Amino acid sequence: MTGAEVQAWLDLERPSLSEALAIFQDLRDLWGIAQAMSYLGSVHAVQPGRESLARPLLLEGRARFQALGDPWGVTISSHYLGSIALRSGQFDEA
């Protein structure tokens, strides 16, 4: 995949994940909310310059997975938060 193809794919994914988040919120599905937040955050996280959009979603998704006692879910957000920190030169945080 070229960089342009990846960007186009990410641009398509954001609205779908935003819609999924809204549906999970309407359903009050706590696990689905955590997952949609984490994956929406991850889509932002892989795009340099979108860290300020990614970080709050990833932090909230991680906190929700922690509250649910789901260590697998915690790793999703933690991975991308670590990637953002690494790119930003925040090695202690990464």
Side-chain angles (χ1 to χ4, degrees):
M1 241 184 197
T2 68
E5 290 171 329
V6 170
Q7 184 63 46
W9 179 80
L10 292 170
D11 290 342
L12 288 172
E13 291 304 309
R14 275 193 305 274
S16 298
L17 289 167
S18 294
E19 183 179 355
L21 176 57
I23 291 167
F24 284 129
Q25 289 170 328
D26 286 346
L27 295 171
R28 294 181 178 84
D29 181 330
L30 300 179
W31 191 86
I33 293 168
Q35 185 178 33
M37 284 185 158
S38 296
Y39 280 116
L40 183 57
S42 72
V43 168
H44 287 296
V46 298
Q47 298 175 301
R50 299 185 72 93
E51 295 84 1
S52 64
L53 297 170
R55 194 173 282 112
L57 288 163
L58 293 167
L59 289 169
E60 180 68 19
R62 184 171 68 182
R64 287 174 177 270
F65 275 127
Q66 286 171 334
L68 292 167
D70 186 336
W72 172 83
V74 170
T75 63
I76 298 167
S77 295
S78 295
H79 168 80
Y80 288 101
L81 286 164
S83 295
I84 291 170
L86 189 62
R87 277 197 322 258
S88 302
Q90 300 167 325
F91 302 116
D92 290 341
E93 188 178 323

